[in-house]
């Protein structure tokens, strides 16, 4: 028995700890932060993630643009207007292109790197906005319409491609303690883009060309901001570019560019990353994508994330973002519906700012269950206002309160958590391909839900449609409780082991002092 316990306590083969013993008499050493969590290191990581997410903000503008332009496009007194069927295509076609973005990112992310995938995504989005801005240069109505649809398609590809690369980049440059805060930047960027578009729609009511022009200028700026970003050291090591990887990791760990000193902690981390990269390359060289997808550490998270994205879309989260103004009108809101959309954007931003702390304090699973349950309750109350006009329907504040609360609850989990976890749950060698597959199927359902929303509203009625979204939300809460793992505080290697064995059998804790580096492996009790 004793021999078995000693065998279990050996660290995983991919990790070979180094112990350097020096003077440990000062108690203050224990309070020092590990390399990578110092002030300069965190600042550098946050800055580069901010630059990467500047393009995600542009994709948020693409998502919410129909909410502030459809009313003008429905105005038959305007020189150019759309009928109901045309406007449904205008609102949803970008989601038909999103799966293509998921496939493209699965191809490019591991081949050209994280940075260049982000740059390519921005360029595709820029092309989309240019097509929208220049569409009104045509005199033929059909040409205007078809070019607008093409511009929306490019925007959809950008949305599909932006779901994972910045999050993957964030996860690979950071340590577990601050990984959650950095990955959440993608959700914050998306929410900021949605709010920015709502604000443009509030102040610019009758000039969609100006809205397109401002958006195009922003996307150009976001594209230029990608160039200063260093490439992920993990990806560079998988391509054998050790010197560039070394420089990149030194930058992200807050070390000077010139190697004037020897930092044991840095060398240990770099050696560990190289071992993981070599193991990933060895495995990838010996198997195809079809063989890789049969491994439990790949197909299990793919199935989980695909279903998670499916519930996210089916419970009406994206529908409310895209049709925010129209849903506010149907729900009986008495104030300016565009102002309600702005309120939704503000609520989403404020909630997202607190999500890093909530995810780290509560964990991913409890946050998701709470989010889905709250969303279901809000949708039931909205339905009740229509079912019982003489009781709940007399509360004129209820529709606004429910819609805003729904956005708050969704941001606490269902809207943000799938994008958050897609950067955590896949092994390094399959991170690009696996995340692309999950995004592909999730975005197909997003297109279906957006395209059929007007038809579902006409067939079921507003109240029953809200009840349908409530039912899906409650099912989502059950799914999260049973199938979604808790990733808080886990390294990416521990998560991969969880999919292989079905449990977290080992927990690696690294304690870094100024003069001592201790690596202890604990069995999970």
């Amino acid at each position: 028995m004793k021999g078995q316990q000693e065998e279990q306590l050996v660290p995983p083969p991919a990790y070979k700890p180094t112990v350097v013993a020096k003077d440990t008499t000062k108690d203050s050493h224990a309070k020092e932060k590990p390399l990578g969590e110092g002030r300069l290191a965190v600042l550098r990581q946050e800055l580069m993630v901010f630059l990467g997410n500047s393009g995600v903000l542009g994709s948020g503008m693409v998502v919410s643009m129909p909410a502030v332009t459809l009313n003008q496009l429905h105005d038959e007194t305007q020189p150019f207007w759309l009928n109901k069927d045309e406007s449904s295509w205008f609102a949803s076609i970008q989601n038909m292109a999103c799966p293509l973005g998921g496939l493209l990112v699965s191809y490019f992310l591991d081949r050209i790197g994280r940075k260049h995938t982000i740059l390519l995504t921005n360029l595709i989005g820029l092309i989309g906005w240019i097509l929208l801005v220049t569409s009104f240069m045509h005199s033929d109505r059909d040409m205007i319409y078809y070019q607008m649809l093409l511009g929306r398609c490019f925007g959809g590809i950008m949305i599909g491609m932006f779901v994972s690369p910045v999050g993957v980049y964030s996860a690979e440059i950071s340590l577990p303690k601050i990984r959650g805060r950095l990955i959440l930047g993608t959700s914050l960027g998306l929410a900021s883009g949605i709010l920015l578009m709502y604000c443009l729609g509030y102040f610019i009511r009758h000039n969609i060309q100006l809205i397109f022009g401002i958006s195009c200028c922003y996307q150009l700026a976001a594209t230029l901001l990608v160039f200063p970003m260093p490439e992920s050291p993990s990806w560079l090591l998988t391509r054998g570019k050790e010197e560039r990887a070394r420089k990149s990791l030194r930058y992200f760990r807050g070390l000077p560019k010139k190697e004037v000193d020897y930092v044991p902690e840095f060398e240990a981390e770099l050696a560990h990353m190289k071992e993981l990269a070599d193991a990933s390359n060895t495995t990838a060289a010996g198997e195809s994508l079809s063989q890789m997808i049969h491994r439990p550490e790949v197909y299990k998270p793919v199935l989980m994330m695909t279903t998670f994205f499916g519930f996210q879309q089916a419970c009406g989260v994206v529908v409310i973002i895209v049709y925010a103004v129209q849903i506010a009108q149907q729900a009986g809101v008495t104030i300016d519906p565009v102002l309600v959309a702005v309120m939704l954007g503000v609520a989403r931003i404020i909630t997202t700012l607190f999500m890093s702390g909530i995810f780290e304090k509560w964990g991913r699973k409890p946050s998701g269950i709470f989010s889905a349950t709250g969303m279901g309750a809000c949708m039931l109350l909205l339905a009740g206002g229509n079912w019982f006009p003489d009781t709940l329907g007399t509360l004129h504040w209820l529709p606004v309160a429910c819609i805003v609360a729904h956005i708050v609850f969704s941001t606490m989990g269902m809207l943000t958590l799938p994008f958050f976890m897609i950067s955590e749950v896949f092994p390094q060698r399959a991170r690009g391909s696996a995340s692309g597959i999950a995004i592909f199927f999730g975005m197909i359902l997003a297109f279906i839900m957006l395209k059929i929303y007007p038809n579902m509203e006409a067939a079921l009625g507003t109240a029953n449609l809200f009840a349908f979204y409530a039912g899906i939300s409650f099912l989502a809460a059950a799914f999260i409780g049973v199938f979604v793992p808790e990733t808080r505080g886990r390294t990416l290697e521990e998560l991969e082991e969880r999919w292989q064995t079905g449990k977290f059998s080992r927990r690696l804790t690294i304690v870094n002092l100024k003069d001592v580096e201790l690596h202890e492996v604990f069995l999970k009790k």
Side-chain angles (χ1 to χ4, degrees), residues 50-88:
F50 171 80
L51 296 183
N53 280 315
S54 59
V56 178
L57 190 148
S59 68
M61 297 173 73
V62 174
V63 170
S64 56
M65 188 251 287
V68 300
T69 58
L70 282 180
N71 279 355
Q72 179 180 340
L73 291 172
H74 285 162
D75 187 355
E76 298 183 15
T77 64
Q78 296 292 323
F80 177 82
W81 58 276
L82 302 176
N83 60 38
K84 184 177 181 180
D85 184 60
E86 289 172 335
S87 63
S88 72

Side-chain angles (χ1 to χ4, degrees), residues 28-288:
S28 60
H29 291 174
K31 298 180 181 180
E32 286 207 6
K33 294 181 178 179
L35 188 69
E37 294 180 14
R39 184 177 179 182
L40 179 59
V42 172
L43 181 62
R44 288 176 174 179
Q45 293 168 32
E46 289 177 339
L47 176 60
M48 293 303 111
V49 171
F50 171 80
L51 296 183
N53 280 315
S54 59
V56 178
L57 190 148
S59 68
M61 297 173 73
V62 174
V63 170
S64 56
M65 188 251 287
V68 300
T69 58
L70 282 180
N71 279 355
Q72 179 180 340
L73 291 172
H74 285 162
D75 187 355
E76 298 183 15
T77 64
Q78 296 292 323
F80 177 82
W81 58 276
L82 302 176
N83 60 38
K84 184 177 181 180
D85 184 60
E86 289 172 335
S87 63
S88 72
W89 277 106
F90 178 77
S92 63
I93 196 168
Q94 88 277 358
N95 282 87
M96 185 171 69
C98 279
L100 177 58
L103 292 180
L104 288 175
V105 80
S106 70
Y107 178 83
F108 286 114
L109 194 59
D110 291 329
R111 286 170 174 81
I112 66 174
R114 287 37 169 158
K115 173 183 176 178
H116 289 102
T117 301
I118 295 170
L119 179 60
L120 176 63
T121 306
N122 274 289
L123 288 171
I124 291 174
L126 181 60
I127 293 172
W129 284 116
I130 290 174
L131 287 170
L132 287 169
V133 170
T134 59
S135 61
F136 288 95
M137 296 175 64
H138 298 288
S139 56
D140 183 74
R141 180 195 180 278
D142 289 340
M143 286 298 296
I144 296 174
Y145 176 59
Y146 293 138
Q147 185 165 325
M148 288 175 67
L149 292 184
L150 183 60
R152 292 284 289 162
C153 283
F154 273 89
I157 294 173
M158 177 178 69
I159 296 170
M161 291 185 69
F162 254 138
V163 170
S164 61
V166 184
V168 170
Y169 181 83
S170 304
E172 290 180 347
I173 67 172
S174 60
L175 298 180
K177 186 175 181 180
I178 62 173
R179 184 180 70 215
R181 185 165 80 241
L182 294 180
I183 295 176
L184 199 64
T186 298
S187 297
L188 185 60
L190 186 68
S192 300
I194 292 170
L195 175 60
L196 178 57
M197 181 56 72
Y198 286 163
C199 291
L200 289 176
Y202 181 76
F203 291 107
I204 307 173
R205 297 293 181 108
H206 304 292
N207 193 341
I208 60 174
Q209 288 177 274
L210 180 57
I211 293 177
F212 293 163
I214 293 173
S215 303
C216 185
C217 291
Y218 174 80
Q219 193 64 51
L220 175 61
T223 303
L224 296 176
L225 288 175
V226 178
F227 287 95
M229 296 172 58
E231 181 55 86
S232 159
S234 295
W235 182 83
L236 289 170
L237 286 170
T238 63
R239 290 298 179 268
K241 301 177 181 180
E242 295 184 22
E243 189 58 34
R244 286 184 59 192
R246 187 179 190 86
K247 291 179 179 178
S248 176
L249 188 60
R250 285 187 68 87
Y251 175 83
F252 287 120
R253 294 301 174 259
L255 298 174
K257 190 174 183 179
K258 288 187 177 181
E259 299 192 34
V260 295
D261 55 352
Y262 179 81
V263 184
E265 190 178 347
F266 170 81
E267 299 297 338
E269 182 179 5
L270 184 63
H272 180 46
M273 291 175 66
K274 188 176 185 305
E275 288 178 354
L276 293 175
D278 291 342
S280 176
N281 288 336
T282 301
T283 304
E287 61 183 2
S288 63

